[in-house]
Amino acid sequence: MFGLFTRAQLKGKVLLQRRNVLDLNHSSCAPLSHDTWDEFTTKGVTCQLISSTVADQNDGSRGLVGEEERVEHWVMHLPPMTHSDTTYDVTFDWDVKKQGLPGAVIVRNYHATQFLLKTITIDDVPGHHGPIVFIANSWVYNTDKYHYDRIFFTNDTCLPSNMPVLLQPYREEELQILRGDHPKQKNDRAYQDHDRVYRYDLYNDLGDPDNKSPRPTLGGPDSPYPYPRRGRTGRKPMKSDPTCESRNVVPVLQQFYVPRDECFNQVKKADFTSYLLKAISAGILPLARELFDTAVPREFDDFEDMYKLYEGGIKIPDVPVMDLMFKVFPPLKSICPSGGSYLLKMPMPEVIENDKLAWRTDEEFAREMLAGLNPHIITRLQEFPPKSKLDGYGDQTSTIKVEHIQPYLGKLTVDKAITDGRLFILDHQDNFIPQLLKINSLENTFVYATRTLLILQDDDTLKPIAIELSRPRLDEIGTKVVGADSKVYTPPSSAGSESDNKVQDTIWQLAKAYAAVNDSAWHGLISHWLHTHAVIEPFIIATNRQLSVTHPIYKLLQPHYRDTMMINALARQVLISAGGFFEMTVCPGEYALRISSDVYKNWNFTEQALPVDLIKRGMAKHDSTSPCGVSLLIKDYPYAVDGLAVWSAIENWADEYVKIYYPSDNVVQDDAELQAWWKEVREVGHGDIKDQPWWPKMTTVQELVRSCATIIWIASALHAAVNFGQYSYAGYLPNRPTVSRRPMPEPGTKEYQEVETNPDMAFIHTITSQLQSIIGVSVIEVLSNHSSDEVYLGQRDEPQWTSDDRAKKVFDKFSKSLIDIEKSIISRNRDENLKNRNGPAQFPYMLLYPNTSDIDGESATGITAKGIPNSISI
C-alpha cells in the first residue's frame, strides 16, 4: 500500500577530491575546518538534474531543472592530508517518464572550501542503456564566487548540430563564461582563483623594468617582435612601465592567475616542486652565487672535479652564508646539514654512465644529431659550398672548400656525394649571425656561428669532416655587417708528433664544442620552448573558448593540453624571464627571445608534421609504398624511425576518430564551433602570422585530421623527444656546453700555450663556467623528470571520457599500436647492426618509446629518458 506513494528516484554517485591539508596551489582559501561547520549550517553540496528531452515550463528553450538534492554523508569523511578521491551518494527525485532523460547537472558548493569534482554517475536509469555519466574534472568553489551556475554535461559526444535542443542554451552559455563574455561576469578586475576565463595576452611579462631589466614585449600588431599569444594572467602592471605585467613571486605561493583547472594537481606539484624553483630564483640562487664566487674557485679544476657533481658532490665550506641559505629555504638543511658536508650530488647522466670518455668521440658527437637531444635540425647538403639565406648581412657563403673534405670522401667526388645523399650539415650560420655582435657583447661570452659537415658512412653512421666557425665582419666604420670572418677546422690526423697531435685533438674538440654551444642554445630556445611550449598555448586557449566539452574535437585534443598553461606561466617567471635561468646559463642571454621572435616569423604549422619536416630537411623522400608516405635516406635514424611509427599511429587514430563525426567535408564546413575555433587560432592566437598562405582553410575532413594529428604530435612526441633527454645528454655540460667564453686559441697566445700544456683546462676555460654549469644542470634535472602521475600517449586519465563505443574502440586500437611500437623499439635497440641506437656512450635511444603499456607509469617516473606523455606538462 505504501508503495503507491513512493516517488520515482535515481541513485547517483559523486566522485570528487576535496582540497587537502597540504594544498599550496592557492593561498586565499578558507580553513578546511569550515567544511564540517558549513555542512551543518548551509545546504552543503547540491546537485540538480537538467532534462535533455522535457522543456522547462517557464522557458521552453531550456531543459526542465529538477529539485536541488544534497550530496550525502559529507561529514563522515575528514579532509585528507594528501590527494585522494572520495565517493558520496546523492538521491534525485526524478521520474524519467515525466521529466525525461537527464542531460546535464547543476552543482552548487555552499562550503567555504573548493573541491575537484570528477564525475557524477547515475546507474539504472529507466529507458537508458548503461549508466549516465556526467564528466567534470573541474574545481568547484563556493557558489557565491560565481555569477552563474556550474553546469556539467554527460559524456555524450555532440557536434553543435547534434546537441539536444533543450541543452543548446546551456552549451552556448558555458562557452560565453569561458571566454569571459557572459554579461554577469566582471572583467574590470584582476582575475581570481575561481575565475574560469581563458583570454589572450602578449608576452609583456618577461622584463623587469622596475629593477632596470626591461625586455621588449613580444607579439602584437605594433610590435617588431611577432610571437604566439599566451594566456592572460592578470597580474598588476609594472610601476615604471604600465604596458609590462609584473611577475612578482613569493616562494611556495602561486602569485598569478591560471585557470584553476589548468593548475598542477597535488601529485604533479609535489613531484615538480615548482615552489622549489621559485625559492631558488628568489633566495637560494643569489646566495649560491656569493658562496661559489667567494668560498671556492670559480672553475672546475679538471674533468675529475666535474665528475664529483655526480660521484660525491661538492664539499661545502664551513661559512656563515650557509646559515643564511637555511633560513631562506629550510628544506635545504635536510639536503646539506652543515659545512663540511657535500652538496649537489646529482644523478649520473647516462651519456657518461657507462663510458666517461665516449662523449669525446666523433662518433658520439655525430650520433646525437640523429638520436640525441636536438635530432631534427640536421639537413641533407644540397649545394656546395653551403650558402646563406640571410639578406642584408653581406656574403655569408661558406668558406669550406673541396680540399677540406675530399680526404674523407674516399672515391666519391663532392658532387657525387651530394647526389648520392651522403653529405649532411648542421647549419647554424644564419641562426646566429644576425644577433652575434650583441651576444658577444655580453659579459664572459664569445660565440661563433657554426656549420658542421658530415659524411654518411657505409654502416649508416655519420662522421664530422669539417666545422666552420664564423663571426660577423663589419664595414670600415664598424656599423654594418658586410660578411663573415670564417675559419675551417677538420679532424686531426696522426701524421705529426705526439705533442702536435694532442694540440690538434684539443683544437678539434673545441671546434665541436663551439658547434655544440650553437646547437644547445637552439635546442632550448627554439626546438623546445618556441616550437612546443609557446606555439601550442594558443591552441589550448582557443579550444577552451570555442569548443564545448561535448565537442568531439575537444574530447580528442583536451588530454594533450594538461598542465601546459601552468608550466608556461612558471617558465615566464623563472626560466625565460629577464635574469632567469635561461639568460644566466645559455649563450644568447638577454637576446634569446628576440632570436626566438625572428624564428617565429618563419614558423609553419603544416611543416611540424614529421613526414613534412623530414622531406623539407632532405632527410627523406616521397614514397607511396611507405605507411607514412616517405622513406628515409639514413635508415638508422632513431628519431625519425621511431618518430614515423608514432606519427603514423597518431594520424591513424585522428583519422578514424574524426571520421566518426565528420563523414563529409560539408559537416566540417557547417560546424560553427569548429570554424570559430580555427579562425581564432589563426587570427588571434597566432595573429602575428595570420596572413601566411600555408594555414589550412579547415574546409575538408583531411585538413581537420592532419591539423589534429599535428597538434597531438607537437604536444606529445615532439616535446618528449626534445625535453626528457635533457639531463641524460646535457647533464654533463662538456657534452652539450651552453656557453663559450673565449675565442678559439690561436698560436702565439697564452690561450694556445694552455692548449699545449694543459689541454683539459683549456677546454674547461672555454665552455660553460662552474656556476653556470651547476645552475644549468640543476634546472634541467628538474625539467627532465617524469612525474608519478604522468598520463602517457595512448592512455586516458578518465576511463569514461566518452559514451561512444565507436570512439572507445578506435582509441583501444591506437593504444595497442603504440604498445607494438614499444616492442619494435626494444628490438631495434638490441640490433647490433644499428649502431646509432646506442652509440659509443652505450645509451639506447628511448625518448620516443611511448610507455603506453606502463599503466601505473612507474617504469618511466623520474629521469629515465623514455616515455611520451600526452601533453607538455614540464
Side-chain angles (χ1 to χ4, degrees):
M1 178 176 178
F2 292 104
L4 296 174
F5 303 99
T6 301
R7 302 179 66 179
Q9 293 184 327
L10 298 177
K11 298 287 187 179
K13 298 287 185 182
V14 180
L15 181 66
L16 58 81
Q17 186 180 116
R18 294 168 67 176
R19 187 173 70 88
N20 65 64
V21 174
L22 302 180
D23 186 357
L24 294 174
N25 263 321
H26 296 276
S27 58
S28 59
C29 304
L32 288 166
S33 58
H34 282 199
D35 261 13
T36 303
W37 176 254
D38 291 342
E39 187 65 16
F40 289 112
T41 59
T42 71
K43 295 181 182 179
V45 176
T46 66
C47 303
Q48 285 178 277
L49 295 179
I50 302 176
S51 177
S52 63
T53 56
V54 176
D56 190 310
Q57 292 182 351
N58 298 319
D59 185 348
S61 67
R62 293 174 179 262
L64 175 70
V65 179
E67 296 297 322
E68 203 171 358
E69 309 293 357
R70 188 168 185 154
V71 171
E72 303 163 14
H73 310 307
W74 189 275
V75 294
M76 296 177 64
H77 301 275
L78 295 175
M81 288 295 294
T82 57
H83 76 285
S84 62
D85 295 342
T86 307
T87 301
Y88 299 89
D89 295 324
V90 62
T91 302
F92 298 99
D93 286 333
W94 188 271
D95 189 337
V96 174
K97 292 181 179 180
K98 296 179 180 179
Q99 295 169 288
L101 282 176
V105 62
I106 298 171
V107 177
R108 293 191 178 95
N109 176 15
Y110 294 95
H111 293 161
T113 57
Q114 66 271 24
F115 56 82
L116 175 63
L117 178 63
K118 293 195 167 182
T119 60
I120 299 174
T121 304
I122 305 175
D123 291 309
D124 303 323
V125 180
H128 187 270
H129 176 69
I132 292 179
V133 181
F134 301 93
I135 297 291
N137 291 317
S138 181
W139 285 90
V140 180
Y141 284 73
N142 179 272
T143 188
D144 289 340
K145 299 284 188 180
Y146 303 114
H147 300 282
Y148 52 86
D149 287 329
R150 292 302 314 275
I151 295 177
F152 303 97
F153 299 99
T154 66
N155 61 347
D156 294 338
T157 304
C158 298
L159 291 170
S161 58
N162 297 333
M163 191 77 173
V165 174
L166 298 178
L167 297 180
Q168 192 68 45
Y170 297 102
R171 176 173 177 149
E172 294 172 355
E173 189 173 75
E174 177 71 2
L175 288 173
Q176 266 192 319
I177 292 165
L178 294 171
R179 291 193 292 266
D181 294 340
H182 193 276
K184 293 184 179 180
Q185 282 177 289
K186 297 179 180 179
N187 288 304
D188 57 349
R189 56 168 174 77
Y191 293 138
Q192 304 297 314
D193 293 349
H194 59 272
D195 284 318
R196 302 168 54 239
V197 176
Y198 292 80
R199 285 195 166 185
Y200 300 93
D201 213 335
L202 310 176
Y203 275 69
N204 63 349
D205 59 343
L206 302 178
D208 189 3
D210 288 354
N211 291 299
K212 300 181 179 180
S213 294
R215 295 292 182 271
T217 293
L218 305 181
D222 300 324
S223 173
Y225 302 104
Y227 221 63
R229 298 298 182 263
R230 64 172 177 91
R232 183 176 297 180
T233 49
R235 288 166 289 184
K236 295 179 180 179
M238 289 282 185
K239 295 179 181 178
S240 58
D241 185 355
T243 65
C244 294
E245 191 175 272
S246 63
R247 49 185 181 85
N248 298 332
V249 179
V250 177
V252 180
L253 301 181
Q254 182 177 318
Q255 298 295 302
F256 55 88
Y257 168 79
V258 171
R260 181 64 195 270
D261 294 344
E262 306 294 337
C263 294
F264 294 158
N265 63 30
Q266 282 303 301
V267 175
K268 177 72 175 183
K269 195 168 181 69
D271 286 350
F272 176 60
T273 59
S274 59
Y275 62 90
L276 176 59
L277 278 180
K278 288 183 276 189
I280 290 174
S281 176
I284 293 176
L285 188 56
L287 298 175
R289 184 186 301 279
E290 178 182 345
L291 175 64
F292 282 102
D293 281 356
T294 60
V296 297
R298 300 185 184 185
E299 299 285 359
F300 290 107
D301 295 333
D302 49 33
F303 286 114
E304 290 300 320
D305 196 28
M306 288 187 177
Y307 297 142
K308 291 177 183 177
L309 282 174
Y310 320 103
E311 296 176 338
I314 293 179
K315 190 173 183 178
I316 297 301
D318 192 3
V319 291
V321 73
M322 289 304 299
D323 294 331
L324 187 53
M325 292 177 79
F326 296 150
K327 291 179 181 178
V328 173
F329 191 65
L332 188 64
K333 195 166 185 177
S334 63
I335 304 171
C336 176
S338 62
S341 61
Y342 288 84
L343 179 67
L344 301 170
K345 182 177 179 180
M346 299 175 181
M348 184 71 73
E350 282 90 338
V351 75
I352 58 170
E353 188 170 24
N354 295 313
D355 187 339
K356 289 182 179 179
L357 300 179
W359 66 273
R360 290 177 177 257
T361 65
D362 288 356
E363 292 82 2
E364 182 63 25
F365 173 74
R367 183 190 82 96
E368 291 183 18
M369 299 180 196
L370 303 174
L373 195 52
N374 203 25
H376 60 313
I377 306 301
I378 188 171
T379 61
R380 180 171 68 87
L381 187 67
Q382 303 193 43
E383 62 178 352
F384 188 86
K387 290 183 172 58
S388 169
K389 295 180 181 179
L390 290 176
D391 185 20
Y393 293 89
D395 186 4
Q396 296 289 330
T397 302
S398 175
T399 59
I400 300 175
K401 302 184 183 305
V402 172
E403 51 264 36
H404 287 128
I405 64 174
Q406 187 61 60
Y408 308 99
L409 302 184
K411 297 180 180 179
L412 293 173
T413 64
V414 172
D415 288 343
K416 180 64 172 173
I418 291 175
T419 301
D420 291 354
R422 299 290 295 274
L423 284 175
F424 295 83
I425 185 170
L426 187 70
D427 193 346
H428 285 297
Q429 181 83 6
D430 290 1
N431 297 337
F432 284 88
I433 281 292
Q435 296 288 340
L436 204 52
L437 289 174
K438 293 178 180 178
I439 292 171
N440 286 341
S441 70
L442 298 172
E443 183 180 0
N444 215 21
T445 301
F446 192 94
V447 177
Y448 292 100
T450 67
R451 289 185 175 110
T452 303
L453 256 61
L454 306 101
I455 181 72
L456 179 65
Q457 303 184 110
D458 292 340
D459 62 358
D460 242 18
T461 62
L462 292 173
K463 177 180 176 59
I465 57 176
I467 296 175
E468 181 181 37
L469 306 183
S470 301
R471 49 184 171 178
R473 183 171 69 251
L474 300 177
D475 59 13
E476 294 181 355
I477 59 176
T479 59
K480 183 179 179 181
V481 177
V482 295
D485 292 322
S486 305
K487 188 170 182 178
V488 178
Y489 298 85
T490 58
S493 67
S494 56
S497 65
E498 182 179 352
S499 60
D500 286 344
N501 290 341
K502 287 184 177 180
V503 169
Q504 293 309 308
D505 283 343
T506 302
I507 295 297
W508 179 242
Q509 289 293 337
L510 286 171
K512 291 191 293 182
Y514 288 118
V517 167
N518 277 187
D519 203 55
S520 294
W522 200 254
H523 161 263
L525 179 62
I526 306 302
S527 301
H528 186 195
W529 168 254
L530 176 64
H531 284 170
T532 63
H533 284 260
V535 300
I536 211 70
E537 188 161 356
F539 290 95
I540 300 173
I541 301 169
T543 300
N544 282 281
R545 286 168 53 87
Q546 299 296 345
L547 299 181
S548 165
V549 294
T550 66
H551 196 286
I553 301 304
Y554 180 95
K555 289 179 179 285
L556 174 66
L557 297 179
Q558 189 274 335
H560 305 288
Y561 297 156
R562 183 188 188 216
D563 293 337
T564 304
M565 289 186 70
M566 183 66 179
I567 195 65
N568 283 5
L570 287 169
R572 293 195 305 273
Q573 290 205 80
V574 298
L575 290 178
I576 64 169
S577 55
F581 290 121
F582 195 91
E583 286 194 4
M584 281 189 282
T585 61
V586 183
C587 73
E590 65 182 76
Y591 301 104
L593 272 295
R594 301 181 201 195
I595 294 176
S596 179
S597 171
D598 287 340
V599 175
Y600 176 64
K601 294 175 186 176
N602 298 312
W603 180 75
N604 183 327
F605 173 72
T606 63
E607 291 177 353
Q608 307 313 301
L610 181 58
V612 179
D613 168 62
L614 291 168
I615 292 289
K616 179 186 178 185
R617 292 190 286 120
M619 302 301 290
K621 58 184 178 181
H622 292 287
D623 182 354
S624 59
T625 65
S626 169
C628 292
V630 300
S631 59
L632 295 170
L633 270 68
I634 303 177
K635 303 304 179 186
D636 184 14
Y637 185 176
Y639 164 75
V641 172
D642 298 355
L644 284 172
V646 173
W647 166 266
S648 180
I650 291 172
E651 189 169 43
N652 288 339
W653 149 239
D655 182 77
E656 293 186 31
Y657 176 87
V658 166
K659 287 178 179 176
I660 294 173
Y661 306 101
Y662 296 91
S664 69
D665 295 343
N666 288 337
V667 183
V668 172
Q669 297 163 17
D670 293 341
D671 184 343
E673 286 185 12
L674 183 76
Q675 295 301 322
W677 169 67
W678 194 248
K679 177 181 174 66
E680 185 167 290
V681 164
R682 174 177 174 171
E683 297 185 2
V684 183
H686 285 286
D688 294 344
I689 54 173
K690 64 182 179 180
D691 296 323
Q692 294 296 327
W694 46 256
W695 279 105
K697 304 301 183 184
M698 204 53 69
T699 57
T700 68
V701 174
Q702 188 52 44
E703 283 181 322
L704 178 57
V705 168
R706 177 53 72 98
S707 296
C708 289
T710 302
I711 292 169
I712 295 170
W713 166 261
I714 293 171
S716 59
L718 180 59
H719 180 259
V722 298
N723 181 75
F724 291 103
Q726 287 189 87
Y727 191 82
S728 299
Y729 288 102
Y732 183 63
L733 261 297
N735 184 54
R736 297 280 300 179
T738 57
V739 173
S740 49
R741 295 180 282 158
R742 64 186 190 183
M744 176 70 85
E746 295 292 341
T749 64
K750 63 178 183 179
E751 290 80 11
Y752 196 86
Q753 184 179 9
E754 186 178 38
V755 170
E756 296 174 316
T757 59
N758 195 341
D760 283 356
M761 285 309 299
F763 188 93
I764 289 170
H765 285 152
T766 300
I767 65 167
T768 317
S769 71
Q770 184 191 59
L771 179 60
Q772 288 173 317
S773 296
I774 292 169
I775 295 170
V777 171
S778 299
V779 171
I780 65 173
E781 180 186 1
V782 174
L783 300 181
S784 300
N785 271 278
H786 285 291
S787 66
S788 58
D789 73 331
E790 203 86 85
V791 183
Y792 293 94
L793 194 63
Q795 298 177 350
R796 284 269 184 168
D797 57 353
E798 176 48 67
Q800 299 294 328
W801 62 279
T802 181
S803 63
D804 193 333
D805 289 335
R806 298 170 300 170
K808 290 179 180 179
K809 183 178 179 179
V810 294
F811 182 74
D812 288 343
K813 180 181 176 182
F814 173 51
S815 300
K816 290 175 182 176
S817 69
L818 292 171
I819 293 173
D820 289 340
I821 291 171
E822 293 177 4
K823 296 173 184 176
S824 298
I825 290 174
I826 295 296
S827 177
R828 286 193 287 271
N829 284 345
R830 290 172 177 168
D831 188 341
E832 294 182 357
N833 294 319
L834 301 177
K835 298 184 183 299
N836 295 325
R837 301 296 310 190
N838 294 273
Q842 303 169 49
F843 173 28
Y845 187 75
M846 294 284 282
L847 287 172
L848 289 177
Y849 178 88
N851 206 47
T852 311
S853 60
D854 183 12
I855 303 301
D856 297 326
E858 293 180 358
S859 71
T861 299
I863 300 175
T864 57
K866 75 171 185 179
I868 304 176
N870 269 327
S871 63
I872 301 169
S873 57
I874 192 71

